[in-house]
Amino acid sequence: MSDSVFSRAVQRRTGQGMSYAQMEALTRKIGGKEGTLTAAWWNKVALGESAPPPEPKCIPGVAGVLDVHDREVALLICQQWYGVRPDDAIRELAERVVDKAESWLRSSLSSWRERDR
């Protein structure tokens, strides 16, 4: 796990009084048997111990537990378990745009200089 943003979100909910058993029950209520995450899993995640990431079918239940939108859950999972941040793609795109703009500007300046001679 890289950045423990998901774990911190779980800790925030426990700090608000939600128990791991309640988290398990809520994921079962929302996601059914297949979308349930156990109290032990929630506990491991909160403590920063090694635990597998939630499967996509668990995302609605996790969103209910964390009181956030499904998309936010997916972003937290990507960041904590896979080290991918939402701004990484934006940064890479910006770098490519700057590189292309720099290349175009250099070639344009070069051709302008040639015309002025």
Side-chain angles (χ1 to χ4, degrees):
M1 290 193 254
S2 59
D3 188 2
S4 56
V5 293
F6 191 97
S7 293
R8 287 194 303 272
V10 174
Q11 293 164 359
R12 178 183 54 81
R13 290 300 281 157
T14 59
Q16 295 170 340
M18 184 176 267
S19 70
Y20 301 128
Q22 289 171 318
M23 292 176 179
E24 178 178 346
L26 188 53
T27 60
R28 181 174 287 114
K29 179 181 176 185
I30 294 172
K33 184 179 179 184
E34 294 296 314
T36 301
L37 294 166
T38 67
W41 183 89
W42 287 103
N43 186 30
K44 281 184 170 188
V45 170
L47 295 174
E49 295 178 4
S50 181
E55 295 183 31
K57 62 187 169 197
C58 298
I59 288 178
V62 172
V65 167
L66 300 180
D67 196 26
V68 297
H69 191 273
D70 290 9
R71 178 169 166 68
E72 179 68 18
V73 172
L75 293 172
L76 292 172
I77 291 168
C78 287
Q79 191 167 343
Q80 179 155 329
W81 276 275
Y82 304 108
V84 176
R85 298 169 37 121
D87 60 344
D88 287 348
I90 294 168
R91 184 180 306 114
E92 289 173 14
L93 177 61
E95 287 172 359
R96 281 187 277 157
V97 168
V98 167
D99 288 345
K100 293 227 183 244
E102 182 181 29
S103 175
W104 176 84
L105 187 59
R106 283 186 179 158
S107 70
S108 295
L109 286 173
S110 177
S111 63
W112 288 337
R113 287 180 183 147
E114 290 298 317
R115 279 188 284 179
D116 288 344
R117 288 184 184 183

